[in-house]
Amino acid sequence: MANGSEIHPSTSLDGKLPAPLVRILVHHGIDTVEAVRKAYPLGLLAIKGIGLLRLRKIEKAFLPGQSYVPMHSRPKLPFVSGSCLNGSLPVAIVRALARGDITTPEQLRQAYPHELLKIRSLGEGSLREIERVYFPGQRYVPPGNGKIR
């Protein structure tokens, strides 16, 4: 760099981080390892374009053994109230099953496959996902042309 703002080779970011990340840091006045350490972690995360994935690259390159853990909690996963199938199947399938009064694995097993196919918005993809989770190795093939609905 010109005008006396040279980056010292021993503290340069070049070669230790991907070029786009170096450009972001330098654009915000962080051009040395010391500046990275001074801004870590919240100063770095405040920079547009630096999220946790890029922060992990910075940690790996310049702060080995450190791992920033955000203090906010993860958002709760969507679920269907009263269903025991939450978490094992996608929420859209759990909702559709709940509309058909199926909320437990036992009810699901009893309804497989014919009663499940009567539930609106449960198609072949949903049935295959249910089979993958609750009926491993099984695959319902309808009589006739082999297509569901």
Side-chain angles (χ1 to χ4, degrees):
M1 294 190 163
N3 301 338
S5 61
E6 289 184 20
I7 298 174
H8 301 298
S10 63
T11 59
S12 172
L13 305 178
D14 290 329
K16 297 179 181 123
L17 293 173
L21 181 52
V22 171
R23 281 193 298 273
I24 292 170
L25 291 170
V26 170
H27 178 75
H28 288 86
I30 300 173
D31 56 0
T32 64
V33 175
E34 291 79 18
V36 167
R37 288 187 177 132
K38 186 176 178 185
Y40 177 81
L42 299 179
L44 296 173
L45 288 172
I47 297 171
K48 184 177 180 180
I50 297 184
L52 282 177
L53 291 177
R54 286 188 167 160
L55 185 69
R56 297 293 178 240
K57 289 180 182 180
I58 293 169
E59 288 172 339
K60 186 176 179 182
F62 304 119
L63 305 154
Q66 291 191 2
S67 180
Y68 172 71
V69 178
M71 295 305 292
H72 62 80
S73 63
R74 289 186 169 170
K76 290 186 177 184
L77 294 174
F79 71 98
V80 178
S81 180
S83 179
C84 297
L85 303 172
N86 288 313
S88 60
L89 293 169
V91 72
I93 295 175
V94 175
R95 282 187 187 126
L97 291 169
R99 282 193 301 271
D101 293 323
I102 298 173
T103 58
T104 67
E106 294 78 24
Q107 291 171 331
L108 183 65
R109 287 186 186 96
Q110 289 173 358
Y112 176 78
H114 300 291
E115 294 303 313
L116 294 181
L117 294 174
K118 293 179 184 177
I119 297 173
R120 194 171 140 236
S121 75
L122 271 185
E124 185 172 0
S126 300
L127 186 65
R128 299 300 172 228
E129 181 64 14
I130 291 168
E131 288 172 336
R132 185 187 68 76
V133 175
Y134 286 98
F135 305 96
Q138 292 184 31
R139 184 176 177 102
Y140 171 71
V141 180
N145 65 4
K147 289 201 170 209
I148 298 175
R149 291 186 203 188

